[in-house]
Amino acid sequence: MKRLLEVLGFIALVQGVLGLVHEFTHWHVGLVQRLGFLDGYGVYASVVLVVLAFALFAAAESRKSG
């Protein structure tokens, strides 16, 4: 379970950072910019993904190994 939380946290962190990169540089990277219902909310969605990633890392850290 710990490994799963870490992997999900890593994916959320990468997608959040890529979403922020897209918003500020207009490079076409990341998943957030491809989701139509998030039009206009890309920065907020990316920040939420980064915060979610840190929450998943904290949850993984509180779990026992295994």
Side-chain angles (χ1 to χ4, degrees), residues 6-56:
E6 290 172 344
V7 168
L8 291 175
F10 178 74
I11 292 170
L13 181 65
V14 168
Q15 288 302 315
V17 169
L18 288 176
L20 290 173
V21 166
H22 168 72
E23 290 296 323
F24 295 117
T25 64
H26 299 290
W27 289 353
H28 295 290
V29 293
L31 182 66
V32 172
Q33 59 117 2
R34 289 186 171 89
L35 299 175
F37 64 90
L38 292 176
D39 283 345
Y41 298 103
V43 173
Y44 302 114
S46 297
V47 169
V48 166
L49 280 171
V50 170
V51 170
L52 175 66
F54 285 113
L56 287 170

